[in-house]
Amino acid sequence: MHKPLTKQNRFDAARPEAGMLELGVCYYPEQWPREKWDEDARRMVELGLAWVRIGEFSWSQIEPQAGVFHWEWLDEAIEVLGCAGLKVILGTPTAAPPKWLVDRYPDILPVDARGVVRKFGARRHYCFSSRRYRLEAARITEAMARRYGENPFVHAWQTDNEYGDHDTIHSYSDEAKLAFRQWLAARYGTVEAMNRAWGTTFWSMHYNTFDEVDLPNNLVEEPTPTHLVDYFRFSSDQVKTFNKAQVDLIRQHSPGRPVTHNFMSQNTDFDHYKVGEDIDIASWDVYPMGGLINGRLGAEEKARYLRVGDPDQPAFNHDLYRAVGRGRVWVMEQQPGPVNWAAHNQSPADGMVRLWTWLAYAHGVDMVSYFRWRQAPFAQEQFHAGLLLPNSEVDQGYLEVAQVAEEMAWLPKGEVREKADVAILLDYESRFATSALPQGRGYAASAIALDWYSAVARLGVDVDFIGQHSDLSGYGLVLAPDLVIPDAAFLARLKVSKAKVLFGPRSGSKTHDMHIPADLPPGPLAELLDFRVTRVESLPDYHSEPVLYGNASHPVTGWRELIRTNETVLATFEGEHRPGSPAVIGNDRARYVGTLPRGEFLAKLMGDTLGWAGVGSLPDLGDVRIARRGRLRFAFNYGSTPAAVPAGAEATFLVGDRQLAPVDVAIWTEGGR
């Protein structure tokens, strides 16, 4: 018999040694012959892995028929892995309900925006609003938590898998319609209040009861934006309550074990902060190759970074999910080679798996788990690389993980990520607003925020993410690229904080009901900056207008605002249309930019803004990125030529040296070890 751990010891066992990086892997014992399990577990430990995630797609193996449970294989798999010295992260299997359950309760299936039922045969085929599915998800979660809640080898839990993958947050089922009506009644109290908020006097859209409200899909024209934003808010709340139900059951039967969920990159279909309130650790799945192909950069930059990925996209998400996890963040799936799901699936350069691992640690991640242990020779992900080839030979990722495991021993213990001087505000309701009312097909708030982040990162400045709920103490500068719907409580805290703030275009442009503020945008932000926005334009990519900033003219496109102000004008539009109108304004506390700066304009704006806020920075690092974790300093070279490491004269190098090769990492301390 295994001696049970105490509640506190169980939670401590799930923490890496203070300030140290631990490594893990995703494993699917049900996909491999039993005789491979012992060898696999032994090889994992020999590689230096400490964690293994299993179970998140195992429902049909656990319960092949209604009420008929086959636990023995999972019991044995956990025993084999645990006895080898691995800590198990057990996933609840609710991302892939089995066929028998779908056949018995077809109303659990999601419905797409065209009104078409999304069928069984892949994964994530459920509607968050299905009352039946919520009961079934709770039933299988409780069964697993009861059986393994006190198992000494189960050190942590993962709920479900990748909320939002395959566009599955928004379902247009009858169950969703019923739940949405109930949500509206709770939000507004009376249908008259909803009518006022939605502006239903427009186009004769008046409702007499909440039961008349439909979901905002398959309309002749676009819905009122308040209807759509309320539907996004509702859908986000459905994710939170669905996730919390699982967390509560796990905590009831497995007290002391931390619970996580593996979020996705650049997904703002639901409020991650709210889901994060109910978990202990935020984790996310890191796939930079697909992120590059599907991401923000132009064709020329994508070609240049083809085998290293967007230099700032992984770091952006590490920092975001560190905020979602209130300081605790893991990588649950780290890409170890080519993937199978992007428009094109290139191989990363040799060395990138190592670089991505150290990048994660530098940005506060305590555990990096690779997806997956062995490449699958069947089903949908045959082209998705693992640490091993399908025949169990070592692949490139395995070699790089082995190098990281060796290098970890060279670092001091106890180093933790400290609070940054700069915070970027990411507000999910504002993202819902720009999604509902983009006012331009090319407007992409996620790409704009990543552009701002990248401009700061190129200057060697660490960044934290905050929401409108966050504590602002200690920040010298807050960057708000798209605060469309400001919250009064946040503004009150901002006003009494010591932080200076730069607002991007559209900030303060909508009320909570998605109306134009009564005294024009920026609404309540006018308490910080004396100006009004009287007109906005969304401009096509083939048209640009010059902005005079400092002594240089910079072309801008995409967005332009007409601003009336008494504040200092820092930049002006200089084209044929209304030349001299303000593009950037400010005072000693706040600044506002009424367009979308990119390239050299954005770089200069961010450099000037950091100087204005008293935040130290470096000259443009080009393809190099740096980060700090306690005493440790990190440099990463995404370029194709060697680069000098921006280290001081007294630096002590622990990994690498002052000359940084392409696709390489340097780690050092300043002023001795």
Side-chain angles (χ1 to χ4, degrees), residues 572-583:
T572 56
F573 291 99
E574 293 299 317
E576 295 180 359
H577 182 65
R578 301 197 181 187
S581 63

Side-chain angles (χ1 to χ4, degrees), residues 23 89 111 150 195 206 226 275 293 295 356 403 411 415 430 433 493 499-500 512 515 578-579 609 651 660-661:
L23 306 177
I89 304 168
V111 176
E150 297 291 337
N195 278 311
H206 184 83
T226 319
V275 174
I293 295 296
W356 288 326
Q403 183 177 353
L411 302 188
E415 303 305 313
S430 293
R493 296 199 311 280
K500 298 192 175 185
H512 281 275
H515 298 182
R578 301 197 181 187
T609 300
L660 191 60

Side-chain angles (χ1 to χ4, degrees), residues 170-211:
H170 304 135
S171 176
Y172 299 88
S173 67
D174 288 340
E175 287 284 278
K177 180 170 64 177
L178 175 62
F180 183 46
R181 290 168 173 173
Q182 294 170 342
W183 183 93
L184 290 171
R187 178 178 179 83
Y188 290 106
T190 67
V191 72
E192 290 79 10
M194 186 195 75
N195 278 311
R196 286 192 298 272
W198 286 17
T200 57
T201 55
F202 197 82
W203 287 352
S204 191
M205 296 182 296
H206 184 83
Y207 296 95
N208 293 305
T209 69
F210 289 111
D211 289 340

Side-chain angles (χ1 to χ4, degrees), residues 559-572:
W559 193 266
R560 174 177 175 172
E561 297 180 353
L562 188 63
I563 293 173
R564 185 175 67 225
T565 186
N566 292 314
E567 301 287 6
T568 300
V569 176
L570 304 172
T572 56

